[in-house]
């Protein structure tokens, strides 16, 4: 150790910290002396170790400067290690940011029917977003190729539409990795099934379009890619493949469920001409779904009158009564409108109508 120190002292004996001239008297920088061991070296070249950290006395000798420099390097390495540890906490995550909803366009695989943006469910969602000032759950988008600051929706069409109509930014996650149409389709389908807010008709039309445009060559490949059963795909397609004349008998295609489609397809196979003839008379009557199915099949509709409470924040604020002919009457208790915000009442009504639709 002593011999190493002596060699360092001998090698750095001619090194020194240059004096910094006062700011008030600037002068040309003096030329550095030639290196004692290399007389032929240019006098303008100066060899020295980096200065120690500001605020501490600078070492006067070469070994001292080396030790100070090593201390600085260890401090920097410690900071880098701490930063790496913080970044490791975000591995695999994708940050969300607020985007102008007008810069986002629907995907060609968009699965929302126009009626999805006109019903009570959408009104309730829009009211929630307006009250919160933003969509709490972000949508997913991908950049549009060759277009700066333009995006294509992967999922979140109703949240995007609500923010667009409200004129507020939409919280979105931007998918920058490779995402082909098949992967986009699968991500959109998975998100909708997890949220359970896509109607049977919309689901079926989505699958039907993917098959027609050869995104998936067969129903089996479609089911395998989406991770669903072949039976699920078959039932969804059964809704989408109902004749337009039959679909038009319902107040909205969103009211048609898998059970309705199975009953109607069985009736069409038995006597297609009779079902379509009844459909001509039923269009535009705006009857309850169960009544429509029964009349299309030539049966007497059996629909019992029922009464469902309208609840908000754990309290009953009214009632919803459905008559035997499918008509619905909603009554609110005195004071409910005064005590509750309109957004809460809209959500409560949307919930009770959703229950009626599921039963129909």
């Amino acid at each position: 150790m002593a011999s190493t120190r002596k060699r360092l002292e001998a090698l750095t004996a001619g090194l020194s910290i240059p004096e910094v001239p006062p700011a008030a008297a600037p002068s040309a920088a003096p030329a550095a002396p030639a290196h004692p061991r290399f007389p032929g070296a240019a006098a303008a070249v100066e060899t020295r170790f980096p200065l120690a950290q500001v605020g501490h006395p600078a070492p006067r000798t070469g070994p001292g400067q080396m030790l100070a420099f090593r201390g600085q390097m260890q401090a920097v390495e410690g900071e880098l290690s701490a930063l790496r540890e913080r970044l490791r906490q975000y591995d695999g995550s994708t940050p969300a940011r607020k985007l102008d909803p007008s810069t986002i366009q629907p995907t060609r695989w968009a699965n929302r029917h126009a009626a999805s943006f006109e019903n009570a469910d959408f009104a309730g969602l829009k009211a929630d977003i307006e009250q919160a000032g933003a969509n709490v759950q972000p949508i997913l988008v991908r950049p549009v190729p060759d277009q700066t600051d333009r995006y294509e929706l992967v999922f979140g069409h109703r949240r995007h539409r609500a923010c667009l109509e409200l004129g507020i930014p939409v919280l979105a996650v931007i998918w920058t990795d490779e995402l082909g149409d098949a992967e986009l389709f699968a991500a959109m389908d998975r998100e909708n099934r997890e949220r359970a807010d896509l109607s049977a008709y919309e689901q079926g039309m989505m699958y039907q379009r993917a098959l027609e445009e050869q995104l998936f060559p067969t129903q089996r490949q479609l089911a395998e890619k989406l991770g669903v059963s072949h039976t699920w795909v078959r039932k969804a397609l059964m809704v989408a493949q109902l004749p337009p004349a039959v679909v038009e008998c319902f107040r909205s295609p969103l009211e048609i469920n898998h059970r309705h489609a199975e009953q109607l397809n069985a009736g069409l196979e038995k006597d297609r001409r009779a079902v379509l003839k009844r459909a001509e008379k039923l269009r535009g009557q705006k009857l309850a779904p169960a009544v429509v199915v029964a009349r299309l099949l030539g049966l007497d509709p059996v629909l019992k009158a029922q009464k469902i409470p309208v609840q908000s924040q754990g309290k009953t604020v009214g009632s919803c009564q459905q008559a035997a002919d499918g008509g619905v009457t909603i009554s609110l208790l005195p004071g409910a409108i005064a005590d509750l915000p309109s957004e809460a009442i809209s959500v409560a009504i949307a919930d009770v109508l959703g229950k009626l639709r599921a039963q129909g």
Side-chain angles (χ1 to χ4, degrees):
M1 179 68 182
S3 60
T4 302
R5 182 172 181 177
K6 287 181 179 181
R7 283 201 301 271
L8 286 171
E9 289 178 349
L11 288 171
T12 61
L15 299 178
S16 63
I17 303 297
E19 296 294 337
V20 180
S27 60
H35 197 284
R37 298 193 60 185
F38 303 97
V45 178
E46 180 183 354
T47 305
R48 61 187 177 89
F49 293 104
L51 294 175
Q53 293 180 354
V54 177
H56 299 277
R60 304 293 298 179
T61 64
Q65 292 185 35
M66 287 185 64
L67 292 174
F69 179 62
R70 181 179 179 186
Q72 292 182 45
M73 291 300 297
Q74 289 176 339
V76 171
E77 288 175 358
E79 292 179 7
L80 288 175
S81 178
L83 289 172
R84 291 192 190 99
E85 183 61 30
R86 290 180 61 185
L87 287 173
R88 194 174 293 114
Q89 299 176 9
Y90 299 96
D91 282 350
S93 64
T94 305
R97 53 181 292 197
K98 290 186 176 181
L99 299 175
D100 182 349
S102 64
T103 65
I104 302 172
Q105 64 190 41
T107 176
R108 59 186 292 215
W109 308 110
N111 50 19
R112 288 293 180 185
H113 189 272
S116 292
F117 306 108
E118 301 170 355
N119 55 24
D121 289 341
F122 178 71
L125 173 66
K126 185 176 176 181
D128 288 343
I129 292 176
E130 184 176 20
Q131 186 174 19
N135 53 308
V136 178
Q137 186 172 3
I139 65 174
L140 182 65
V141 299
R142 67 174 179 178
V144 176
D146 303 325
Q147 294 190 41
T148 305
D149 295 331
R150 295 290 303 179
Y151 304 94
E152 178 185 7
L153 261 174
V154 178
F155 57 69
H157 289 76
R158 293 199 309 157
R159 281 164 279 168
H160 168 256
R161 174 69 74 86
C163 290
L164 184 65
E165 293 183 1
L166 291 170
I168 61 176
V170 59
L171 186 64
V173 170
I174 302 175
W175 189 271
T176 55
D177 294 338
E178 182 65 26
L179 184 66
D181 282 354
E183 287 73 21
L184 181 150
F185 186 93
M188 181 170 57
D189 177 76
R190 181 168 54 253
E191 198 265 353
N192 284 322
R193 282 188 286 109
E194 289 174 353
R195 291 172 58 86
D197 64 352
L198 196 67
S199 70
Y201 180 80
E202 290 169 317
Q203 190 91 63
M205 294 301 295
M206 175 182 174
Y207 291 170
Q208 182 71 19
R209 188 181 308 117
L211 291 170
E212 290 176 351
E213 299 193 21
Q214 291 294 301
L215 183 61
F216 302 100
T218 65
Q219 292 185 29
R220 178 176 295 276
Q221 292 182 11
L222 170 64
E224 291 175 352
K225 179 65 177 180
L226 302 183
V228 298
S229 68
H230 305 304
T231 302
W232 170 260
V233 173
R234 179 183 61 80
K235 287 184 176 181
L237 291 173
M238 193 178 293
V239 179
Q241 293 169 354
L242 287 172
V246 171
V247 174
E248 291 171 3
C249 293
F250 293 85
R251 294 172 296 195
S252 167
L254 307 186
E255 293 183 331
I256 307 174
N257 59 35
H258 294 149
R259 185 178 70 255
H260 298 152
E262 289 179 352
Q263 294 172 340
L264 291 171
N265 274 285
L268 287 165
E269 290 181 3
K270 183 177 180 180
D271 192 344
R272 186 180 184 88
R273 185 175 181 179
V275 172
L276 295 178
K277 187 175 181 179
R278 297 185 191 108
E280 291 295 327
K281 300 179 181 179
L282 282 176
R283 282 191 293 185
Q285 294 191 25
K286 299 185 181 301
L287 302 173
V291 176
V292 172
V293 173
R295 291 190 177 179
L296 284 172
L297 298 178
L299 305 174
D300 292 329
V302 179
L303 185 63
K304 298 179 180 179
Q306 56 180 322
K307 190 174 184 178
I308 302 176
V310 178
Q311 295 183 324
S312 178
Q313 301 176 0
K315 299 180 180 179
T316 299
V317 297
S319 62
C320 177
Q321 186 164 354
Q322 184 177 37
D325 62 355
V328 176
T329 303
I330 296 177
S331 302
L332 298 178
L333 294 175
I337 297 179
D339 296 339
L340 291 173
S342 58
E343 294 83 359
I345 296 177
S346 298
V347 172
I349 294 175
D351 288 341
V352 74
L353 291 177
K355 293 177 182 177
L356 286 177
R357 186 164 58 244
Q359 295 173 4

